[in-house]
Amino acid sequence: MIALARQPSDGQKIVEAIIRRLPSTHPEYPYYYEHLQRILAGFAGEQRMDAEWLEIELPYPYYFLHGLQMINRSGSTHQIDTIFLYAHFVLILEIKNITGILSYHAPFSQFTRTTAEGVLESMADPFQQVARHVAWIKSLLQQERLDLPVLSAVVIATKNGILTEGFREQPVFHVTGLRTHLQKWLQQYPQSEKDTKMLFRFAMLLLSMHQKITKELKVPLQDIIKGVLCSRCANGQRLRYHYKKWLCPRCGVEEHNALHRALEDYRLLVGTMLTNKSFYEFFAIDSPNIAYKLLQQLPLKAEGTKRHRKYWITH
């Protein structure tokens, strides 16, 4: 059972919205474009790992939580790529879509890669990352009086990530090694006699603790293209509102969901609260009458009256 399905993060959606609305000639456009490519590559690696699980048959019950995000008692965050709950153990996976020649020096917790161009880069130690997650999950299991071993591994999700000798003693493997490692762990750790209902309750506990965590990202609001944009045309082509229809003057497409798509961009880039002024400015609506009618079409909760009126995005 997939208790928490993998979804694109709000961080990814924010960068996508910036790319849609930032002129390609803007000096910061290459930065956001490269940032998005890294996010997409990471998400693709996670999906590759999810597909590998589908090839493995296991008896029920088991629970997956993909992309679990939590805040612990000290206020620190945990963003866990995959948690697999089973009667034998709890498995935490940190998935990396990293290319190049990868090296690790355990005494210094030093993780590096050498790119195809021969550039040496230092990267965050994934084993320290996953160790934090393990300690946190162990404390939650103890709190729930559920006695299960907690295992962990770092998974390299691309064949273009070449592991070197420094990883020999570390819990790391390529995505295609999942089946072999899983079989080894199942033999090593016998099935717990605990009631399977406790496993379900623990999965639901983790799910109840899940909350979206978005890293702070500077959004160049003053430079982005305002308005309701065409989904087909590049470079921020604005749609025109004419006789209750959104039409693109460039490609001629008629968009039916354009207003709601622009509202989602507003939520990601600005926030969940709108005023009449912020609506006029972001949606590039000149007519107060048209703006009022459009506001009524959106899933908004209104508070206040006249010029003090505020609207809140409810979805």
Side-chain angles (χ1 to χ4, degrees), residues 245-258:
K245 295 179 181 180
W246 291 98
L247 303 171
C248 179
R250 180 187 294 172
C251 71
V253 69
E254 179 182 331
E255 298 257 15
H256 298 283
N257 196 41

Side-chain angles (χ1 to χ4, degrees), residues 149 173 178 208 232 278:
F173 56 87
L178 175 63
S208 71
R232 290 187 182 180
S278 67

Side-chain angles (χ1 to χ4, degrees), residues 100-272:
I101 299 175
L102 310 180
S103 302
Y104 187 67
H105 188 61
F108 294 153
S109 294
Q110 187 175 57
F111 181 69
T112 61
R113 76 159 174 172
T114 303
T115 68
E117 294 75 28
V119 178
L120 181 65
E121 297 177 343
S122 177
M123 311 189 80
D125 184 345
F127 304 112
Q128 294 297 324
Q129 287 178 294
V130 80
R132 285 187 61 250
H133 303 328
V134 168
W136 173 234
I137 295 301
K138 280 183 176 179
S139 71
L140 293 177
L141 285 167
Q142 185 176 14
Q143 170 188 302
E144 297 301 308
R145 299 181 180 179
L146 188 54
D147 185 20
L148 280 174
V150 182
L151 312 181
S152 65
V154 174
V155 182
I156 306 301
T158 172
K159 63 181 181 181
N160 295 322
I162 302 172
L163 298 170
T164 55
E165 280 296 311
F167 291 97
R168 182 173 291 278
E169 303 300 323
Q170 303 302 323
V172 58
F173 56 87
H174 278 271
V175 63
T176 52
L178 175 63
R179 185 187 299 273
T180 300
H181 282 77
L182 194 58
Q183 290 173 346
K184 178 188 70 176
W185 290 324
L186 290 173
Q187 293 173 0
Q188 184 176 353
Y189 297 95
Q191 182 172 344
S192 170
E193 297 180 359
K194 293 289 183 180
D195 190 339
T196 55
K197 291 182 179 178
M198 294 185 67
L199 195 65
F200 172 77
R201 285 199 294 270
F202 188 67
M204 294 303 102
L205 171 66
L206 294 179
L207 186 59
S208 71
M209 298 175 70
H210 174 66
Q211 54 184 299
K212 290 183 178 181
I213 300 170
T214 303
K215 294 181 180 178
E216 290 294 325
L217 184 67
K218 179 185 175 183
V219 178
L221 283 175
Q222 69 280 5
D223 299 327
I224 65 171
I225 299 168
K226 308 302 194 295
V228 179
L229 305 184
C230 178
S231 62
R232 290 187 182 180
C233 296
N235 300 320
Q237 175 61 47
R238 287 186 187 178
L239 299 176
R240 291 177 182 169
Y241 187 68
H242 187 65
Y243 290 107
K244 300 182 180 181
K245 295 179 181 180
W246 291 98
L247 303 171
C248 179
R250 180 187 294 172
C251 71
V253 69
E254 179 182 331
E255 298 257 15
H256 298 283
N257 196 41
L259 186 64
H260 289 77
R261 194 170 60 247
L263 181 67
E264 175 66 0
D265 280 0
Y266 183 97
R267 181 188 74 82
L268 292 166
L269 301 178
V270 183
T272 56

Side-chain angles (χ1 to χ4, degrees), residues 30-160:
Y31 163 78
Y32 290 108
Y33 181 82
E34 291 173 10
H35 186 40
L36 179 59
Q37 298 314 303
R38 289 194 298 270
I39 293 174
L40 293 176
F43 189 68
E46 292 164 1
Q47 290 180 311
R48 202 171 298 126
M49 188 65 186
D50 297 345
E52 194 70 19
W53 280 107
L54 297 177
E55 298 291 323
I56 300 173
E57 293 186 6
L58 292 169
Y60 291 93
Y62 59 81
Y63 305 97
F64 284 104
L65 293 101
H66 298 300
L68 182 65
Q69 301 182 30
M70 299 182 293
I71 298 177
N72 63 26
R73 300 181 189 95
S74 65
S76 299
T77 62
H78 291 269
Q79 301 187 53
I80 305 176
D81 292 336
T82 289
I83 295 186
F84 172 62
L85 305 177
Y86 201 39
H88 296 253
F89 49 75
V90 177
L91 174 62
I92 298 175
L93 297 178
E94 180 75 18
I95 303 167
K96 298 295 185 183
N97 196 69
I98 306 174
T99 61
I101 299 175
L102 310 180
S103 302
Y104 187 67
H105 188 61
F108 294 153
S109 294
Q110 187 175 57
F111 181 69
T112 61
R113 76 159 174 172
T114 303
T115 68
E117 294 75 28
V119 178
L120 181 65
E121 297 177 343
S122 177
M123 311 189 80
D125 184 345
F127 304 112
Q128 294 297 324
Q129 287 178 294
V130 80
R132 285 187 61 250
H133 303 328
V134 168
W136 173 234
I137 295 301
K138 280 183 176 179
S139 71
L140 293 177
L141 285 167
Q142 185 176 14
Q143 170 188 302
E144 297 301 308
R145 299 181 180 179
L146 188 54
D147 185 20
L148 280 174
V150 182
L151 312 181
S152 65
V154 174
V155 182
I156 306 301
T158 172
K159 63 181 181 181
N160 295 322

